[in-house]
Amino acid sequence: MAIGAGAAAWFALPGPGAWLAVILIALGVAAGAGAVGRGGRAPAFAAMLGLAVAAGTGLAWWRARRVAAPVLGRPAIVRMAGTIEKLEPLPARGLVRVTLGRLRWERPPRPAPRRVRVSLVQRAVPATLAPGTAITLRARLMPPAPPAVPGAYDAARAAWFEQVGASGRGFEPITVHDDARPGEAGVRDRLTAHVTAALAGSAGGIAAALVTGDMGAIDDADSLAMRRAGLAHLLSVSGLHITATVGIVMAVVRRLLALWPRLALSGRVPLIAAAAGAAAAIGYTWLTGSQVPTIRSCVAALMVIAALALGREALTLRLVAMGALVVLVAWPEAVVGPSFQLSFAAVASIVALHEHPRVRALLMARDEPWPRKWTREAASLLVTGAVVELALMPIAVFYFHQAGVYGAIANIVAIPLTTFAIMPAVALALMLDPAGWGGPAWWVAGEAIALLLWIAQTVAALPGAVRAIPAMPLGAFATMVGGGIWLALWRTRWRYLGVAPLLLGAGWTALTPAPDLLVTGDGRHLAVRQRDGGLALLRDRSGGYVRDVLAQNGGLDGVPGLLSQSREARCNRDLCWWQQRVDGRWRIVLATRSAYPVPVERLASLCARADVVVSERRLPRRCRARWLTLDRAALAQSGGVAISFAPSRVITVRTRGDEHPWVAAARVAEATSASSGVSHGHALPHRRSRQMDSAPLEGATGDPRRP
């Protein structure tokens, strides 16, 4: 936990001065504890904590510098050649996403990325395309995007640690080099294609997710239903899947070896079965792409197998700690990712629950009639599911801005269905397919997956299945995480002190008002809070991603409306004027809706009477709002903005003095592009000017409440 805290501190604090201070303070604590210690456990424990915090901060800092790579400065259309490093089919969206390395540019941009990620239309992708293939194409590339608004996903940070300097969309045609030998599809890709061919639609996508970890073939509606029902964890290969795989392999190997009397009498069958289970865990982890939850689960499974072989107790928090240690040393950036946090929170809560003496006594298996035994098993699943849901709720709210209600109940049926029906049926079908006998097993798997989807859709459609919550403050999240850790680690009554931080963080989150105005970092999109609590968007044609981001971070479970259709706004093709009485005072927002010039006199008159002015372009100096002017220059410094009117509060994506390498690289790239005047790729076209359409805003020279 101390190593993770040190790594998290590196991500939370702004610059080298603060990072170095954390390391020096931690080392000072360790040295002081070692100097004053005269035996006993407390000084040694304090010294270990200090060293671990310093190590965590240093690991994160070193890792961020080690993966440094150039980042594209600004959008550009380029022609390039490269070698496919990773190919991800997304059949549900009709796309194929490729990661290209060893790039060669026709006219290299400045700076020129070493690795890019491009989405291609599936129908335009040659059949020979595979990892290792060299291709040439034109693409529209964008720098990795920072969070659109406070609380949104930070794609720039994730891309930095993957060494991806740009992403975008490829154009037809795609040329495969004649002098390059096309790479053969890997085992994972071939297996994914085989599974999706055997089961159509989302059923094939879910089966492929269980086998290879590839979720690209799952329909968006079904994926959303799984998330809303609290069943999305079944699609991410982690502890449940590794456990089922190891258990199935060990059971089959043990039964088969028991048919050999001489070997069965030697007592070596359990050890051989354990070795087979360990090999299956490692192979399954490799096959599914070696993601963080899978690696953690694999390490845990190997330790369980080793403990069983040694006759030791297997399921302890030390086991969870060892898995976390392996991940944090290799990938310290995982500590700020939802995958790592969800995975370890779930496992730690399960182990801590079942280590409690009263819970262990209540749920322990025993000789009893089957009705009582099944009732006990159902109660165990329900209690465990409820505890896991409570443990994961702060993380889900912080990253995904929603909390599920019926997830524990849905998992009582969904987990056994996945473990004992879907996964064995898919495994049996894959084993029988070489002989052409896999049809019946595929039918069973398809029917079981259909039942799983029905459960997800039914639960997701229930009233109040999901509650939307606006972006949680970082302080509230850290408080709740600290309380949960305290509650899980202690074994005495001291553990119940962890309830206080949990309640404090929950209350802090509940009392945090939803933002009244959200502005994206490019200034093109905004959402304002309506009187009925809904959100209204500035542009009539906003993409699905923008709508989802603004709705989620604004605490809206639904589709935002349009500002042009709001009774509280007046809009034309170029401008929107929104006004609402908040806390006894009129609040007015003026926003531009196009890139065309607006007469300066007219614009300055409107700006002077607005509280907030938002624009995607640089506004003239005469256009200044009474409170905030958020034009291109201001947003370049602040990034996306969340604003509350009562009380007045402004939260920005970027903070002053932020020296994290992905933020610094973006600033350097922007400065380089600005100084050069043009992109070395083909610059994106600019719109021609036209006269402003100001008819709907006529009369905005009198009462500011009546534009």
Side-chain angles (χ1 to χ4, degrees), residues 335-398:
V335 74
V336 293
S339 177
F340 176 91
Q341 294 175 13
L342 289 168
S343 176
F344 280 94
V347 176
S349 62
I350 292 172
V351 174
L353 172 69
H354 288 270
E355 280 188 344
H356 194 286
R358 292 184 181 178
V359 175
R360 177 179 293 187
L362 180 64
L363 302 180
M364 183 182 298
R366 63 199 71 182
D367 256 347
E368 56 188 353
W370 64 264
R372 185 176 297 177
K373 179 178 180 180
W374 287 9
T375 302
R376 191 181 303 277
E377 292 293 336
S380 175
L381 283 174
L382 180 60
V383 171
T384 303
V387 169
V388 170
E389 286 292 323
L390 290 173
L392 300 187
M393 191 173 293
I395 303 173
V397 170
F398 183 75

Side-chain angles (χ1 to χ4, degrees), residues 17 129 250 317 358 372 383 387 391 396 463 511 564 596 632 664 688:
L129 217 60
M250 289 182 65
L317 284 178
R358 292 184 181 178
R372 185 176 297 177
V383 171
V387 169
L511 295 175
S564 59
Y596 296 104
R632 185 174 64 186
R688 292 176 296 177

Side-chain angles (χ1 to χ4, degrees), residues 69-79 103-114 116 141-144 165-166 664-683:
V71 175
L72 185 68
R74 69 176 188 176
I77 296 177
V78 299
R79 184 172 181 82
L103 299 173
R104 300 180 300 281
W105 308 86
E106 185 176 272
R107 298 176 65 187
R110 292 178 55 190
R114 299 175 191 168
V116 300
L141 297 181
M142 303 282 291
R667 284 200 298 264
V668 170
E670 290 167 1
T672 302
S673 296
S675 64
S676 64
V678 296
S679 168
H680 286 254
H682 301 289

Side-chain angles (χ1 to χ4, degrees), residues 177-236:
H177 284 208
D178 295 332
D179 58 347
R181 184 176 64 184
E184 295 184 359
V187 174
R188 184 169 182 252
D189 296 329
R190 294 200 303 270
L191 197 53
T192 299
H194 178 78
V195 172
T196 53
L199 293 174
S202 292
I206 290 175
L210 297 176
V211 175
T212 66
D214 191 334
M215 296 185 284
I218 303 175
D219 184 74
D220 288 344
D222 292 327
S223 179
L224 177 61
M226 294 287 286
R227 291 198 301 271
R228 291 176 63 88
L231 303 179
H233 66 95
L234 298 176
L235 305 179
S236 175

Side-chain angles (χ1 to χ4, degrees), residues 437-686:
W437 299 341
W442 283 122
W443 179 86
V444 172
E447 293 300 311
I449 293 174
L451 177 58
L452 177 67
L453 287 173
W454 178 84
I455 294 171
Q457 293 162 358
T458 301
V459 172
L462 292 175
V466 173
R467 181 182 176 186
I469 300 174
M472 177 190 288
L474 178 60
F477 179 62
T479 301
M480 296 187 75
V481 169
I485 292 172
W486 183 279
L487 197 63
L489 293 185
W490 283 88
R491 295 193 176 191
T492 65
R493 292 183 179 180
W494 284 92
R495 75 187 328 166
Y496 299 112
L497 293 176
V499 175
L502 287 172
L503 295 177
L504 177 61
W508 187 350
T509 302
L511 295 175
T512 300
D516 296 309
L517 176 63
L518 288 168
V519 181
T520 59
D522 57 7
R524 285 180 53 81
H525 303 279
L526 64 80
V528 292
R529 183 79 50 191
Q530 302 294 88
R531 292 187 186 276
D532 60 2
L535 294 173
L537 302 184
L538 172 66
R539 296 180 183 265
D540 295 347
R541 295 185 178 181
S542 300
Y545 173 76
V546 171
R547 290 196 301 270
D548 291 343
V549 166
L550 293 177
Q552 290 173 6
N553 288 271
L556 177 66
D557 182 23
V559 180
L562 298 177
L563 200 57
S564 59
Q565 299 176 0
S566 171
R567 295 182 179 180
E568 301 165 6
R570 297 292 184 271
C571 298
N572 58 33
R573 289 176 296 179
D574 300 303
L575 298 172
C576 257
W577 174 283
W578 172 88
Q579 61 187 27
Q580 187 181 112
R581 197 169 185 85
V582 180
D583 199 23
R585 177 183 174 186
W586 285 99
R587 296 292 187 172
I588 301 172
V589 177
L590 175 68
T592 63
R593 305 180 74 203
S594 73
Y596 296 104
V598 177
V600 175
E601 295 293 337
R602 184 67 169 161
L603 184 61
S605 172
L606 294 172
C607 292
R609 289 181 287 114
D611 294 288
V612 180
V613 176
V614 180
S615 179
E616 64 180 297
R617 47 192 155 146
R618 187 184 296 273
L619 294 173
R621 293 184 179 180
R622 295 174 59 185
C623 178
R624 285 295 175 265
R626 292 185 296 188
W627 181 27
L628 288 175
T629 302
L630 301 174
D631 63 353
R632 185 174 64 186
L635 290 170
Q637 299 296 321
S638 67
V641 179
I643 299 171
S644 295
F645 291 130
S648 298
R649 185 181 61 167
V650 179
I651 301 175
T652 61
V653 167
R654 292 183 178 177
T655 57
R656 183 172 298 179
D658 191 343
E659 293 297 329
H660 287 100
W662 54 92
V663 177
R667 284 200 298 264
V668 170
E670 290 167 1
T672 302
S673 296
S675 64
S676 64
V678 296
S679 168
H680 286 254
H682 301 289
L684 299 180
H686 295 283

